[in-house]
Amino acid sequence: MSTKIKICGLRRIEDVDYVNEAQPDYAGVILCRRFWRGIDFEQAKLLHDRLDPSIPLVGVFVNDKFSDVLMALRTGVVDMVQLHGTESEEYISSLRMLNKGVEIVKAVRVHSPDVIRYAVNSRADHILLDSATQERKGFDWNLAKDIKRNYILAGGLTPETIPHAIQQLHPWGVDLCGGVEDVIGPNPCDRIKSREKIIAAVQAAHRNG
């Protein structure tokens, strides 16, 4: 079975068109307006409606109100939820109880073995291991070398580094956001999704998995 891949941080209609062409396993939108890639529910619904229905749309939340996450699911804004903050196991259990069948991803920022031990025991359907910094850098992969649970690898990945990551760690999935963007200006937020990079990333994940 090939490695799963999620293309995250979609913001524009063009981004969805690129994803529909590339056919990743998942797509993601950031529904937390505190981040520059964050979009509102209205824009997310437009993207969801344009997205190939065979590609689940994951809504990324970071310590957001429980009611907001419920609303995003119940109004069809997203199909899945990724919790990228300090949400508790009780939060996860309550979300699942009120939304039977919904898949939940719990992301953790890896900076020590303790984080790995916490992630392995999460009640979420999937765990995602991300960099502990805001910079486009990965974490020390040695920390995940002996993990005894399927996981999604994130943090600084690019189409070029996917084959090495899969060969070394054999993750269940990979998640890319900044690694499939082009820089169009001098500011950190002057970035847009690249059709060529998205296609290359999906091909790299599915070919090397």
Side-chain angles (χ1 to χ4, degrees):
M1 182 179 294
S2 62
T3 303
K4 306 295 184 184
I5 179 169
K6 172 167 153 279
I7 302 297
C8 200
L10 307 187
R11 302 172 64 233
R12 309 172 303 151
I13 291 296
E14 295 93 329
D15 300 343
V16 176
D17 292 340
Y18 303 157
V19 164
N20 286 340
E21 181 179 0
Q23 289 290 297
D25 301 280
Y26 303 92
V29 289
I30 298 172
L31 295 175
C32 186
R33 298 303 300 274
R34 301 188 300 277
F35 301 90
W36 71 264
R37 289 190 184 92
I39 60 175
D40 58 27
F41 282 16
E42 183 178 0
Q43 179 67 5
K45 187 64 167 63
L46 289 174
L47 300 185
H48 183 276
D49 291 346
R50 192 176 182 92
L51 184 65
D52 184 326
S54 69
I55 305 172
L57 186 63
V58 183
V60 178
F61 296 88
V62 185
N63 296 325
D64 289 283
K65 292 180 181 177
F66 190 84
S67 57
D68 289 344
V69 181
L70 283 180
M71 183 182 298
L73 287 167
R74 292 180 172 178
T75 57
V77 173
V78 296
D79 306 303
M80 293 173 56
V81 168
Q82 178 176 315
L83 304 174
H84 216 103
T86 57
E87 299 87 359
S88 67
E89 291 299 302
E90 289 72 25
Y91 189 111
I92 293 171
S93 295
S94 298
L95 190 58
R96 179 176 285 113
M97 182 176 65
L98 294 172
N99 296 272
K100 301 296 185 183
V102 66
E103 290 187 61
I104 302 171
V105 181
K106 182 66 184 85
V108 296
R109 297 191 178 277
V110 180
H111 53 76
S112 72
D114 289 340
V115 175
I116 298 292
R117 284 191 285 271
Y118 163 78
V120 166
N121 293 311
S122 175
R123 299 171 191 168
D125 300 281
H126 309 282
I127 57 172
L128 183 147
L129 308 183
D130 200 0
S131 169
T133 69
Q134 296 295 328
E135 300 174 5
R136 293 180 61 242
K137 296 180 180 180
F139 59 90
D140 181 1
W141 287 353
N142 288 319
L143 293 172
K145 189 169 54 179
D146 299 318
I147 191 170
K148 303 301 182 185
R149 176 174 175 172
N150 288 341
Y151 63 91
I152 302 166
L153 179 67
L157 292 174
T158 67
E160 293 76 24
T161 60
I162 286 174
H164 177 62
I166 293 174
Q167 181 181 29
Q168 184 169 339
L169 295 178
H170 307 289
W172 179 83
V174 292
D175 188 305
L176 286 84
C177 188
V180 288
E181 292 175 342
D182 287 331
V183 177
I184 59 172
N187 298 317
C189 59
D190 290 336
R191 309 178 64 87
I192 58 172
K193 287 290 185 283
S194 162
R195 171 184 175 271
E196 291 73 20
K197 291 179 181 178
I198 289 174
I199 292 173
V202 174
Q203 290 177 345
H206 289 168
R207 184 171 57 242
N208 291 276

